[in-house]
Amino acid sequence: MRMTVPTHLGDIAVRCLSPFAGARREGAPGPSGAPALLLLHANPGDGRDFDAVLPALADRYRTFVVDWPGYGGSTAPEPGRVSPEGLVEVAERVLDALAEEHGVREVAVLGNSVGGYVACRLAERPRAASVTSLVLVDPAGFTRQTALTRWFCREVMGRPARARRLVVPLARAYLGRLGTPSARETYARVRALPHDETRLAVHCALWRGLADPDFGLADPAALDLPILLLWGSRDPVVPAFLDGRRARRQLPAGTLSVRLPTAHEPYNERPGLFLRHVLPFLENPRAVAARRLRPPSRPRIR
């Protein structure tokens, strides 16, 4: 099932999947009572990037997969206007639509890259009360702003003439070994991007937005909900030893942080490993966070 959510940046396509009777685990709640999960993808890409892990997630949760403006099934009448902050407003409108049309009052949010940034922003804005937990996968928003990073975002990846030549090799690097059908299909979609003027314009506009002075999280340490932070140790876009370390320092002390042997999209590269960390967290995020905060037991002295 799909729904379309009108927003100021375009009509947003949202895939809606509910657990069905034959797929539910014994004792699991029915579709209307299952917890809700919102998936927010990276730039460039679309909701199909999550296809390798989607069956396992949709088996347990009412899962809603967003296509950002201009990507997948979503439109972008003015692609140059798309920005990270605009995506936050789009996601807020999606939450409103889920409440109105599906009765979703509480939702866990899983976001990768710019989708992870949007997930954090949802948890610190007026709709924070409806966000129950966050799964942040190599999220944007933790890169130190310098003259070099701003120049790269604005003048290299933010300019279609330059980005057109770089977007495919960059994707080849951040998708890792392309060892899964999902990763190869994601890469095939990226390879078509330089020939799609709308998608290329959205891609560049989002990169330029990363250099905007207003881009960034107000106070990550103040986020008051369970958080699972996953970071690929071989991520060439937001390196674990720089951005990942900053994220661990800035997020709340109770954040569960896991480094994975992957690049930028672990759900594409190592879906089984990704799910082994994500599913237990989503099952009971507060319990997992509590175990993370529990002090280590002292060894017995013989």
Side-chain angles (χ1 to χ4, degrees), residues 94-222:
V94 169
L95 288 184
D96 292 343
L98 293 181
E100 295 164 5
E101 299 187 28
H102 293 269
V104 173
R105 306 299 174 190
E106 295 185 333
V107 62
V109 184
L110 187 159
N112 173 220
S113 198
V114 72
Y117 171 76
V118 173
C120 288
R121 297 283 282 126
L122 289 176
E124 68 179 15
R125 286 171 70 100
R127 288 160 182 79
S130 64
V131 179
T132 59
S133 61
L134 297 179
V135 178
L136 306 178
V137 186
D138 298 61
F142 296 96
T143 300
R144 184 169 172 266
Q145 288 263 8
T146 66
L148 178 61
T149 60
R150 287 192 292 270
W151 171 81
F152 182 78
C153 291
R154 287 176 180 157
E155 303 301 330
V156 180
M157 299 309 292
R159 301 300 174 192
R162 293 170 177 166
R164 194 187 305 273
R165 298 193 297 269
L166 296 175
V167 63
V168 174
L170 182 59
R172 182 62 187 86
Y174 70 65
L175 287 171
R177 294 188 293 259
L178 299 183
T180 64
S182 174
R184 291 190 290 272
E185 290 163 8
T186 298
Y187 182 57
R189 289 191 289 272
V190 176
R191 289 186 66 183
L193 186 143
H195 312 290
D196 185 325
E197 295 301 327
T198 296
R199 290 173 64 207
L200 181 63
V202 170
H203 166 272
C204 292
L206 284 170
W207 271 97
R208 291 194 300 272
L210 300 179
D212 192 288
D214 294 330
F215 173 76
L217 303 171
D219 185 5

Side-chain angles (χ1 to χ4, degrees), residues 19-107:
F20 57 93
R24 287 200 310 274
R25 295 158 295 145
E26 185 176 353
S32 62
L37 174 64
L38 181 67
L39 304 185
L40 306 175
H41 66 84
N43 172 47
D46 60 49
R48 291 172 292 181
D49 296 356
F50 292 110
D51 279 359
V53 297
L54 198 53
L57 296 173
D59 178 37
R60 296 161 171 81
Y61 305 97
R62 287 184 291 166
T63 306
F64 303 94
V65 190
V66 172
D67 288 341
W68 290 131
Y71 291 141
S74 297
T75 65
E78 299 179 76
R81 291 183 57 213
V82 179
S83 68
E85 294 309 313
L87 297 189
V88 177
E89 296 175 15
V90 164
E92 290 180 329
R93 182 66 193 98
V94 169
L95 288 184
D96 292 343
L98 293 181
E100 295 164 5
E101 299 187 28
H102 293 269
V104 173
R105 306 299 174 190
E106 295 185 333
V107 62

